[in-house]
Structures are given as structure tokens and as C-alpha cells.
């Protein structure tokens, strides 16, 4: 709201939640304020670009970060400093991620880096997973967080990465929570 006010924009024309959603989406696609600014194509995107830059300035003034910055900074730290990635990875013998279908690509990158064998990959899709370190539980039919950038293509890519690393795959076919009529609809 402070960024809107500083830019002379009304909350009625630029709903704070909508603006924050756009900024969050950009951060999750690893697009920082200057790049977002140059990519702005319409009036709304150009104004959001100004607000993004202002918002980041306000966070910096307050020595603060938002949730997306925590993820973005972690991903950048792991990518730029493999020795840090290796140290952090060594802290965990096993990592379990439940509801993996609701994980966004940035979160998935961090998870892959933490489960890497040796911290040598230059990109998440090149990660060689440490055998038995990563366990994911998920069902793409139950993905409900697309509005938060959960990405079924990313889910499928990580599953394929696990298969390539000879991970064990177990399918759970018995559902104790749903009525049979509901299961018959979702199993089509």
C-alpha cells in the first residue's frame, strides 16, 4: 500500500493483492524488478513494474524480505555457491515432501539442490540425485494451488528425474478418506 501511495496510484485501480500476486509470480519465475520493467507490455504491467521496484526498495529500507525473497535468495545462493549448497545438503540424510503436486518450480529447485549428490549441477534439471535421499508424495489429480504457481509439468519433470536416478516408485491405490462414488469420478 505504501508503494501504491508513493507512486500516486489508487488502491481502487490497483488492488494491492493483485499487484503483490504479480510481483510474487515474477519472483517465482526468477524475474527481478529491472527485467520485469523492461518486459512490461501493457499499462497494468508497466505500473506493476514501477510498484515492484518501489516495493523492493521499501523492503530493502526496512532490511526485510518477503516469502518469495526467501525462496529466491536461497535458490540464488545455492546456484552461485555450490559449496554452500553442498554444506546445506549434507545436513539432511532424507527429505520428504508431502503434497508435492502443490510445489512451485522455485521450491522444487531448492529441494533438488538439497538432494543433489555432490553439488555439481549448474541447473536444477541437471541435478544428479543422491540415491534414497528424496521422497515425494503427491497426486497430480489433487493439485489445487495452480494460482500459487504449482506446476504439474514441474511435478512430472521431477518424477522423471527420480525415475532416471533409479528411485523406487510406489503407487498407493487404496484411499481410505474418500467415498467410492468420489473415487470413481477422479479415477477416470
Amino acid at each position: 500500500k505504501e508503494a501504491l501511495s508513493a507512486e500516486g496510484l489508487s488502491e481502487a485501480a490497483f488492488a494491492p493483492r493483485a499487484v503483490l500476486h504479480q510481483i510474487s509470480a515474477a519472483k517465482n519465475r526468477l524475474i527481478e524488478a529491472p527485467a520485469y520493467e523492461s518486459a512490461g507490455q501493457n499499462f497494468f504491467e508497466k505500473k506493476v513494474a514501477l510498484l515492484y521496484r518501489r516495493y523492493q526498495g521499501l523492503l530493502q529500507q526496512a532490511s526485510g524480505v518477503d516469502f518469495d525473497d526467501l525462496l529466491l535468495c536461497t535458490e540464488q545462493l545455492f546456484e552461485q555457491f555450490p559449496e554452500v549448497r553442498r554444506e546445506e545438503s549434507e545436513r539432511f540424510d532424507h527429505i520428504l515432501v508431502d503434497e508435492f503436486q502443490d510445489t512451485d518450480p522455485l521450491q522444487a529447485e531448492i529441494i533438488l539442490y538439497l538432494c543433489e549428490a555432490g553439488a555439481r549441477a549448474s541447473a536444477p534439471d541437471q541435478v544428479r540425485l543422491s540415491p534414497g535421499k528424496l521422497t515425494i508424495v503427491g497426486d497430480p489429480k489433487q493439485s489445487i494451488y495452480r494460482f500459487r504457481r504449482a506446476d504439474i509439468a514441474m511435478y512430472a519433470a521431477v518424477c522423471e528425474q527420480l525415475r532416471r536416478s533409479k528411485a523406487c516408485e510406489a503407487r498407493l491405490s487404496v484411499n481410505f478418506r474418500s467415498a467410492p462414488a468420489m473415487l470413481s469420478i477422479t479415477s477416470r
Side-chain angles (χ1 to χ4, degrees):
K1 291 180 180 181
E2 192 175 329
L4 282 167
S5 176
E7 291 296 330
L9 300 171
S10 77
E11 290 182 38
F14 294 90
R17 291 184 94 177
V19 170
L20 277 175
H21 181 78
Q22 292 296 315
I23 293 170
S24 178
K27 288 180 180 186
N28 276 271
R29 291 191 316 270
L30 307 178
I31 301 170
E32 295 185 25
Y36 189 87
E37 200 166 351
S38 61
Q41 303 212 346
N42 58 43
F43 178 76
F44 181 74
E45 288 175 355
K46 289 177 194 248
K47 291 299 182 187
V48 169
L50 292 173
L51 292 167
Y52 186 178
R53 185 180 291 275
R54 176 75 69 166
Y55 174 70
Q56 286 305 114
L58 290 168
L59 283 173
Q60 193 171 19
Q61 266 182 340
S63 297
V65 292
D66 62 15
F67 180 75
D68 296 306
D69 288 331
L70 290 173
L71 294 173
L72 187 59
C73 291
T74 301
E75 188 274 342
Q76 290 171 343
L77 179 70
F78 284 177
E79 203 156 272
Q80 294 171 15
F81 300 97
E83 64 278 6
V84 172
R85 185 166 83 215
R86 185 179 304 107
E87 283 178 34
E88 291 305 308
S89 175
E90 289 171 356
R91 294 179 62 193
F92 305 98
D93 292 327
H94 305 283
I95 295 177
L96 166 68
V97 183
D98 195 10
E99 303 294 348
F100 190 76
Q101 75 276 358
D102 295 326
T103 302
D104 71 43
L106 189 53
Q107 293 167 339
E109 287 184 22
I110 293 167
I111 292 164
L112 290 171
Y113 281 142
L114 286 172
C115 295
E116 184 178 13
R120 290 185 276 279
S122 58
D125 62 343
Q126 299 170 359
V127 164
R128 191 173 56 83
L129 294 168
S130 185
K133 188 164 189 172
L134 176 61
T135 301
I136 64 171
V137 178
D139 181 353
K141 292 179 185 175
Q142 293 185 27
S143 181
I144 59 171
Y145 288 104
R146 180 128 180 100
F147 69 95
R148 281 195 185 158
R149 291 156 310 284
D151 184 348
I152 293 304
M154 177 277 311
Y155 172 90
V158 171
C159 287
E160 183 55 34
Q161 226 169 331
L162 283 163
R163 283 186 200 100
R164 282 195 314 267
S165 71
K166 307 286 189 239
C168 174
E169 182 174 357
R171 295 190 178 266
L172 306 177
S173 57
V174 178
N175 183 321
F176 297 101
R177 295 186 300 177
S178 303
M182 181 63 81
L183 291 174
S184 69
I185 293 169
T186 61
S187 296
R188 289 182 192 162

